[in-house]
Amino acid sequence: MKSADFLVELWVEDMPVAVQLEAEFKLKEAVENLFGREKISGKFKKTFSSPRRIAVLFENVSRDIEEQKTAIKGPPDKISFDSEGKPSKVLEGFLSKYSADCADIRVRETDKGNYVFLEKTVPPRGSVEVIRENIALALEGIKFSKTMRWGAHSFPRPVRNILVMFGKKALKLDCFGIPSSQTSRGFMGENIKIESPALYEKNLKSSRILPDRKKRRDFFEEQLKDALQAPLHSKPSAELTEETSGICEYPRVLTGSFDEKFLKLPPEFLKVTLEFHQKCFAVYDKKGMVNQFIFVVDGVSENAREIGANYERCVTARFEDTKFFWENDRKKKLVEYYDDLKHVNYMGKFSTLYEKAERVTRDASELAKVYCPEEEKDVAKIAKLLYCDIVTKIVGEFPELHGIAGQYLGMGVTDDPDELPVGSHTLRDAVTLETLNNVSAVCGLAERLNTLKSFFFADMIPSTSKDPYGLRRVADGAVRILAETEGIDFKLPEIFTVVFDDVEKAVSEQVRNFLKERFKLYLVKEGIPADIANMTETKFDIPKEARSLSVAISEARGKQEEAFSHIAEAAKRIRNILKQAEKLKIEPAAVNKELLAEAEEKKLFDIASSLRSEIESYMNEKKYKQALMSLVTVKEPLDLFFEKIMVMDRDESLRDNRLGLLRDIDRLLSSFGRFDILNAMASDGGAERMLE
Amino acid sequence: MKTLQDIIKTLSDYWGDKGCVVAQPYDVEKGAGTFNPMTFLKLFDKGPWRTAYVEPARRPQDGRYGDNPFRLYKHLQFQVILKPAPADSRLLYLKSLSRIGIDMKKHDIRFLEDNWESPSLGAWGRGWEVRCDGLEITQFTYFQQAGGIELEDVPVELTYGLERIAMFLQKKKSVYDIDWSETVKYGTLRKEDERQFSVYYFEKASVEGLRKVCDFYRGELEMLLENKLPLPAYDCLLNFSHIFNVIDARGGIDHTTRADMIKQMRGYANRIALMYKEIREQS
């Protein structure tokens, strides 16, 4: 047999999911690099990973490595030898780099002159030998983002067994300080015989181990579906599913229940307690959460009842804690936590959360005066309460409950004006942006802009690769508010006058540009082609309009690609001509109808004049679709104009008049943004590039 | 059925047989068994070291007035140190569970990522919380650093939560129902203690007075370090650390101060470790 399957498995102490994924990838890469370097031919088949193992399988790995001839180019002939023909310092350096001697070199002609070449012939070798000699170094040399040390070794977690199989034979070698094994291992370190690399998965499966990540997740999801009878359901997020099935070798889904008394706690609290602490999932019926939960065990096949009772005890203990925190937190009203913010630092020692809350309240009130004066009082109240829940025990324990806990805590049982109306979600929404009304939008916006202002002012600005303070997410929240608040048309200049009146222009410009960049990404994520998001950038000062306009343009172009392509091309030409004229210090004239000599320019003038008022009124009424429908009628006259007319005529008055006409067209087009940077050939090119 | 004292005895015998010095708790208040000099200081000695002991861990914040069936201000840890960590550390641990009566085939034993860290000791390690049917029963850590010093022979530390294991084995719903011995319940010995200390920690402790005690220990630490006496200095650090926790439970420490005080403690831990090491290497 000329070739065989090849398997490497490292049995490691439990790795979390992120580490498994990295290790799986790096293991494959290390073996591929080794094969590439040593000219071992073979086809990559699959990688495996679970908490306790990573493995890679290759097929058709040749048993023989053919003779290899290599030639490495060295220094030019003339500087390689001294006058006596002995090797020069340069040549000696080259030879020592490859630990070769003069016998290995030949001088060869190239089109750049004669050069020294190091020629090596590696005789045919056996793959098994080469792998046995080199695999340990390859594996031990893998670089990881995070490692640990044990003994003299390092890896993300300690490696405790190594299996390297070529065909049905396990190779003998030493790696990570231990001799390789003839078998794989199970939970207690028991031997699991692998008959051949191809049978790896099957052999492990009979020991209740599923090494294939995807199959394991599918197996988990299938059981999850069967575990509950409709209308009961549980929908863990994709992330949680990946995590839960990822930290088992053989996930088994079971259900448990808890005392109904805990259902008096807010369901969000119960859910996060279950998920975060116990890696269990909440169960719901049509009305909401019920007193059941899903839990997952690894591998165990018997004793489900006792294990379930034990899980129930743990869940009860966690719920007791959550209840304890919450009952304590509730001893004070939300507003009574306000003064406690004085003890919470914000951005190191420079400020406190209290000071920030004061700033946010001021900015939110000012914004309310502009955008929703009738609700100014509510805005000021919510803004002030925004951070209060941060000092509660429950949010200390579960930071993701910020906003949610505040809402529950603030909900009035009396008519106390300090409390929040029952059933309203405004405070919570200002943090989570689940839904937006005027009050939550203005508060949420003031809060986010304040954060951006402080960090940009302190020059703690995200770079392309690093965003340690999560400012992108903050800006994305602001962008969503700007673009999606139904009741308010936010305008950036107005907002910046209010919120950024106390910092230098340079800082506010930086924040504005940052928001614009995030807004572009927002549009692209909403499905707007990247070139359109770039085109409408000049309109971003009114984000909601820019968004509707972008949607309208992208729909209109979808229907009339050719027309848009032509207009875009014409727009580019117009910009170029106007630029050229500016360079030559030629001033376009106000169009004089008398001077329009040719039919094509008359036609363009007429149509442009009638379009101008039409488009303007459509734009004012935000009827972008109609405005664009009108605009495309300019396509033909524009085409004809450029086909027939020479703008830079020798006659200066004709020339300046035509430039004037083009300037008018340019202005008309500009009401939609920058047509000149729209892709002439409609395509979605660039969309991927813009996405992070 | 195993009583709490049976479990302690079984674990002591098991690890004693594996070459551990079965030591005693160290009689100064502390938040975790790691703080016992048998662990923290002995890690800096040259050569192999194995020890096992019970240690009461006091965490004022966790007090629940004796009302909560699962949480205590003071709980018992069974601590094991194996330095250097043997290749079969994990298996040795799993076998210890079998020994106290946890059948691996009948329970869901999981190792969940939990990289232990003690900012005030300048110590961290890669490790896991070991769960048995969802219950955290042990912290399993390969120490990488302690006292701010990278450790040469990476040790493994096992910290068993004794009450939890007892509740699990005895199928009790409340920690106070645990059979400490065949005739005496955990609650009989500990419940009133939990109540009184919770009142003290949460309501009565004199924050201002305790701050002064902290200042006193700070001065003492400086003086002792100057006199090259790292062992008594270490006792002062333990006291300092515990008082810090008490003030914290009273809500007397804001974020800045907390960060500053932890940094101070880490600094002392580092100086003590270095001085201890130096003295040991000279002797």
Side-chain angles (χ1 to χ4, degrees):
Chain A
M1 219 172 42
K2 284 265 157 48
S3 70
D5 295 338
F6 176 71
L7 174 84
V8 181
E9 185 206 51
L10 300 182
W11 188 66
V12 184
E13 295 193 28
D14 285 55
M15 299 170 282
V17 174
V19 174
Q20 294 171 33
L21 292 171
E22 187 187 2
E24 187 177 331
F25 172 77
K26 295 266 172 80
L27 175 65
K28 167 180 181 251
E29 199 183 50
V31 175
E32 274 178 341
N33 288 345
L34 173 66
F35 281 15
R37 197 184 72 214
E38 300 296 338
K39 313 288 178 205
I40 299 170
S41 68
K43 193 167 154 270
F44 164 73
K45 171 78 173 167
K46 207 170 169 181
T47 52
F48 302 93
S49 69
S50 81
R52 289 182 282 283
R53 62 198 81 234
I54 46 167
V56 63
L57 174 63
F58 281 74
E59 283 181 328
N60 298 321
V61 179
S62 65
R63 286 187 179 276
D64 303 309
I65 308 172
E66 288 171 12
E67 180 183 274
Q68 307 289 328
K69 283 193 173 162
T70 54
I72 302 163
K73 194 175 168 188
D77 178 27
K78 56 186 172 196
I79 60 162
S80 293
F81 303 97
D82 62 15
S83 52
E84 291 165 29
K86 286 183 181 159
S88 66
K89 282 256 149 59
V90 178
L91 182 60
E92 276 174 4
F94 171 70
L95 289 173
S96 81
K97 184 176 165 192
Y98 292 96
S99 25
D101 58 52
C102 276
D104 299 326
I105 57 165
R106 303 277 175 283
V107 175
R108 276 205 230 157
E109 226 180 85
T110 73
D111 36 356
K112 284 178 185 160
N114 285 350
Y115 275 80
V116 165
F117 280 82
L118 176 62
E119 294 192 344
K120 270 188 172 172
T121 305
V122 182
R125 297 165 300 161
S127 302
V128 169
E129 265 324 294
V130 172
I131 291 171
R132 185 151 54 203
E133 278 165 24
N134 292 287
I135 191 108
L137 260 180
L139 298 179
E140 290 168 3
I142 301 177
K143 297 262 180 288
F144 288 95
S145 52
K146 281 179 189 160
T147 58
M148 64 164 278
R149 298 177 295 117
W150 78 97
H153 304 279
S154 82
F155 203 72
R157 297 292 182 280
V159 180
R160 299 302 190 192
N161 190 63
I162 295 144
L163 175 64
V164 182
M165 287 184 89
F166 200 102
K168 290 184 174 169
K169 205 173 153 218
L171 305 188
K172 277 188 184 162
L173 47 96
D174 286 313
C175 190
F176 291 106
I178 45 173
S180 65
S181 160
Q182 298 291 305
T183 62
S184 179
R185 296 281 177 91
F187 179 75
M188 286 289 279
E190 68 276 19
N191 292 330
I192 300 174
K193 187 166 170 45
I194 305 297
E195 293 165 274
S196 74
L199 291 173
Y200 176 67
E201 227 180 313
K202 194 176 161 228
N203 291 155
L204 285 182
K205 197 178 172 183
S206 38
S207 293
R208 296 172 74 84
I209 292 166
L210 304 174
D212 179 309
R213 167 170 307 281
K214 191 177 167 299
K215 282 185 192 162
R216 203 160 65 228
R217 192 183 57 216
D218 292 346
F219 178 60
F220 164 78
E221 284 184 321
E222 241 167 67
Q223 295 178 70
L224 188 61
K225 239 187 287 165
D226 298 340
L228 298 167
Q229 296 262 322
L232 293 180
H233 62 277
S234 178
K235 278 193 187 137
S237 65
E239 214 183 350
L240 201 57
T241 304
E242 184 74 36
E243 170 74 21
T244 312
S245 57
I247 54 173
C248 298
E249 293 213 290
Y250 194 86
R252 200 164 147 232
V253 175
L254 298 167
T255 57
S257 63
F258 54 85
D259 193 325
E260 279 189 350
K261 76 174 180 187
F262 292 115
L263 289 173
K264 282 183 198 146
L265 288 166
E268 293 90 342
F269 294 11
L270 298 177
K271 178 173 185 277
V272 71
T273 308
L274 281 170
E275 288 181 358
F276 179 80
H277 278 310
Q278 288 305 137
K279 312 224 179 283
C280 296
F281 311 139
V283 176
Y284 303 85
D285 66 7
K286 281 177 184 162
K287 277 180 264 162
M289 193 178 279
V290 297
N291 65 328
Q292 291 187 35
F293 65 93
I294 296 271
F295 65 99
V296 182
V297 301
D298 189 7
V300 221
S301 55
E302 40 184 307
N303 204 26
R305 184 184 297 246
E306 195 190 337
I307 294 174
N310 289 334
Y311 262 93
E312 286 174 0
R313 270 209 291 277
C314 296
V315 164
T316 304
R318 296 295 189 182
F319 282 171
E320 286 288 352
D321 262 352
T322 301
K323 189 165 155 263
F324 176 79
F325 293 142
W326 186 231
E327 280 170 358
N328 262 306
D329 288 340
R330 294 194 73 175
K331 286 178 185 162
K332 267 161 74 167
K333 285 193 288 185
L334 185 61
V335 68
E336 287 166 350
Y337 285 96
Y338 193 58
D339 277 343
D340 296 345
L341 299 179
K342 284 178 183 162
H343 307 298
V344 184
N345 285 316
Y346 179 63
M347 294 180 70
K349 292 180 182 178
F350 303 114
S351 172
T352 65
L353 215 44
Y354 180 87
E355 286 166 13
K356 190 183 182 203
E358 295 271 292
R359 292 196 293 269
V360 170
T361 309
R362 185 204 70 139
D363 289 341
S365 307
E366 292 299 317
L367 285 176
K369 277 183 193 140
V370 181
Y371 291 115
C372 51
E374 308 86 62
E375 290 155 302
E376 194 193 326
K377 259 194 187 158
D378 287 341
V379 165
K381 176 168 139 187
I382 298 287
K384 189 179 162 183
L385 296 174
L386 219 47
Y387 298 121
C388 287
D389 67 355
I390 285 188
V391 281
T392 62
K393 285 242 187 311
I394 192 84
V395 175
E397 184 75 6
F398 304 111
E400 61 267 60
L401 290 179
H402 167 45
I404 297 164
Q407 185 75 48
Y408 280 112
L409 203 55
M411 240 149 43
V413 276
T414 62
D415 291 332
D416 188 329
D418 275 338
E419 296 191 339
L420 304 169
V422 178
S424 116
H425 261 206
T426 310
L427 175 75
R428 168 185 185 148
D429 287 342
V431 178
T432 62
L433 308 184
E434 282 156 88
T435 55
L436 288 169
N437 61 25
N438 290 354
V439 178
S440 54
V442 167
C443 292
L445 184 63
E447 197 277 324
R448 286 168 176 83
L449 291 180
N450 234 288
T451 304
L452 293 175
K453 182 170 70 175
S454 311
F455 279 90
F456 275 70
F457 180 74
D459 210 26
M460 293 150 96
I461 299 174
S463 68
T464 4
S465 56
K466 278 184 184 151
D467 180 21
Y469 311 103
L471 297 183
R472 289 194 194 118
R473 221 171 64 91
V474 173
D476 290 347
V479 163
R480 263 197 61 204
I481 297 173
L482 293 168
E484 295 177 13
T485 307
E486 257 177 55
I488 299 177
D489 290 342
F490 288 109
K491 295 189 176 69
L492 287 189
E494 287 174 357
I495 292 169
F496 273 73
T497 317
V498 171
V499 182
F500 287 78
D501 59 342
D502 53 351
V503 290
E504 303 120 64
K505 187 101 184 1
V507 174
S508 77
E509 275 307 302
Q510 274 181 317
V511 176
R512 207 148 146 175
N513 289 332
F514 185 55
L515 281 176
K516 284 186 177 177
E517 282 308 308
R518 299 312 297 179
F519 187 69
K520 254 192 247 179
L521 279 170
Y522 164 81
L523 290 179
V524 171
K525 280 179 190 158
E526 294 268 290
I528 305 289
D531 65 325
I532 294 180
N534 279 323
M535 165 185 170
T536 53
E537 187 180 338
T538 50
K539 301 274 151 190
F540 287 178
D541 272 350
I542 310 180
K544 237 168 97 179
E545 286 184 13
R547 180 185 179 213
S548 319
L549 182 62
S550 304
V551 172
I553 295 173
S554 122
E555 279 171 10
R557 181 169 75 175
K559 286 177 199 142
Q560 308 203 39
E561 288 194 21
E562 207 202 335
F564 273 80
S565 178
H566 280 236
I567 295 174
E569 214 160 279
K572 277 189 202 38
R573 261 171 106 167
I574 294 173
R575 277 279 155 101
N576 285 337
I577 292 168
L578 292 173
K579 249 188 233 160
Q580 207 187 331
E582 204 184 323
K583 258 191 210 156
L584 299 166
K585 304 221 159 52
I586 302 169
E587 186 68 17
V591 182
N592 177 353
K593 217 175 164 184
E594 306 294 307
L595 285 174
L596 296 169
E598 309 291 336
E600 289 78 12
E601 53 182 333
K602 279 185 187 145
K603 177 88 190 292
L604 183 62
F605 174 78
D606 290 341
I607 205 149
S609 315
S610 72
L611 277 182
R612 187 172 306 121
S613 57
E614 198 176 310
I615 288 178
E616 198 179 317
S617 68
Y618 280 140
M619 293 300 276
N620 285 341
E621 292 167 47
K622 295 177 192 160
K623 291 183 174 162
Y624 305 120
K625 200 172 146 194
Q626 284 90 330
L628 286 159
M629 268 163 63
S630 301
L631 181 75
V632 289
T633 59
V634 83
K635 179 220 155 208
E636 266 195 45
L638 254 181
D639 283 353
L640 284 171
F641 178 88
F642 279 118
E643 213 171 285
K644 295 281 159 68
I645 308 285
M646 171 72 190
V647 179
M648 301 309 255
D649 201 282
R650 279 194 193 150
D651 180 334
E652 289 187 4
S653 58
L654 282 184
R655 180 194 70 188
D656 296 354
N657 203 48
R658 281 172 188 160
L659 283 172
L661 176 59
L662 289 186
R663 188 183 56 188
D664 290 352
I665 300 284
D666 186 56
R667 283 180 183 157
L668 182 69
L669 293 175
S670 296
S671 37
F672 298 93
R674 286 189 59 188
F675 254 108
D676 62 305
I677 58 169
L678 191 69
N679 284 351
M681 284 313 294
S683 80
D684 55 0
E688 305 88 61
R689 240 180 307 128
M690 270 189 64
L691 283 170
E692 289 157 306
Chain B
M1 187 166 60
K2 281 204 183 306
T3 61
L4 180 61
Q5 65 196 36
D6 288 338
I7 297 168
I8 292 172
K9 185 167 176 291
T10 309
L11 286 175
S12 303
D13 289 348
Y14 177 86
W15 289 109
D17 290 347
K18 304 290 174 216
C20 289
V21 169
V22 178
Q24 296 300 310
Y26 194 66
D27 52 355
V28 180
E29 299 98 324
K30 64 187 75 61
T34 313
F35 285 73
N36 186 317
M38 284 292 179
T39 292
F40 184 75
L41 292 177
K42 278 286 188 187
L43 285 182
F44 305 112
D45 283 356
K46 281 237 175 293
W49 169 243
R50 290 188 171 197
T51 188
Y53 52 87
V54 177
E55 188 74 53
R58 294 183 199 227
R59 297 174 182 173
Q61 296 258 30
D62 286 351
R64 295 289 186 273
Y65 297 87
D67 291 338
N68 185 300
F70 311 99
R71 243 181 234 291
L72 304 161
Y73 92 85
K74 182 165 81 180
H75 69 278
L76 295 174
Q77 297 183 339
F78 190 90
Q79 167 93 354
V80 179
I81 287 286
L82 307 175
K83 169 180 157 263
D88 60 349
S89 297
R90 180 188 161 110
L91 190 61
L92 285 177
Y93 166 70
L94 289 173
K95 284 184 176 163
S96 78
L97 294 185
S98 301
R99 187 69 71 86
I100 52 176
I102 298 175
D103 181 347
M104 300 295 139
K105 289 205 179 88
K106 289 188 170 168
H107 296 285
D108 183 36
I109 307 289
R110 307 284 284 274
F111 286 71
L112 302 183
E113 180 186 28
D114 189 3
N115 296 318
W116 178 87
E117 185 182 18
S118 167
S120 51
L121 283 184
W124 77 275
R126 282 231 182 283
W128 301 267
E129 53 174 73
V130 183
R131 291 194 180 183
C132 174
D133 296 348
L135 180 73
E136 184 187 346
I137 52 169
T138 306
Q139 179 76 35
F140 186 123
T141 310
Y142 291 105
F143 275 159
Q144 303 286 298
Q145 197 191 68
I149 300 170
E150 288 290 315
L151 297 170
E152 284 164 33
D153 294 328
V154 169
V156 63
E157 178 195 64
L158 307 172
T159 305
Y160 300 76
L162 286 173
E163 286 87 350
R164 291 186 177 179
I165 292 173
M167 277 174 81
F168 178 83
L169 289 173
Q170 299 177 8
K171 297 191 168 62
K172 301 287 188 192
K173 286 191 172 172
S174 166
V175 66
Y176 299 108
D177 295 337
I178 291 173
D179 296 313
W180 189 302
S181 70
E182 292 204 354
T183 49
V184 178
K185 299 273 181 210
Y186 192 90
T188 318
L189 295 176
R190 295 272 296 107
K191 196 164 180 169
E192 180 59 13
D193 171 14
E194 283 291 326
R195 187 190 71 78
Q196 289 194 23
F197 273 89
S198 295
V199 174
Y200 174 62
Y201 290 144
F202 290 128
E203 301 166 28
K204 303 289 179 202
S206 321
V207 174
E208 286 317 310
L210 288 172
R211 277 191 225 280
K212 283 186 196 129
V213 179
C214 273
D215 290 340
F216 168 75
Y217 278 119
R218 249 187 232 117
E220 212 69 350
L221 269 156
E222 292 294 346
M223 181 273 289
L224 288 166
L225 284 167
E226 226 162 85
N227 287 287
K228 295 224 177 246
L229 296 168
L231 295 177
Y234 186 63
D235 271 20
C236 291
L237 180 61
L238 292 180
N239 279 302
F240 182 96
S241 161
H242 175 66
I243 291 164
F244 164 82
N245 288 337
V246 177
I247 305 176
D248 200 18
R250 283 279 278 134
I253 292 175
D254 64 52
H255 287 236
T256 336
T257 319
R258 177 177 297 114
D260 284 351
M261 288 180 81
I262 288 175
K263 205 173 139 197
Q264 271 174 20
M265 287 190 264
R266 192 167 53 238
Y268 286 129
N270 181 233
R271 286 165 65 189
I272 290 167
L274 287 172
M275 196 175 285
Y276 173 86
K277 217 176 151 195
E278 195 191 313
I279 292 173
R280 294 290 288 183
E281 277 164 13
Q282 280 164 4
S283 63

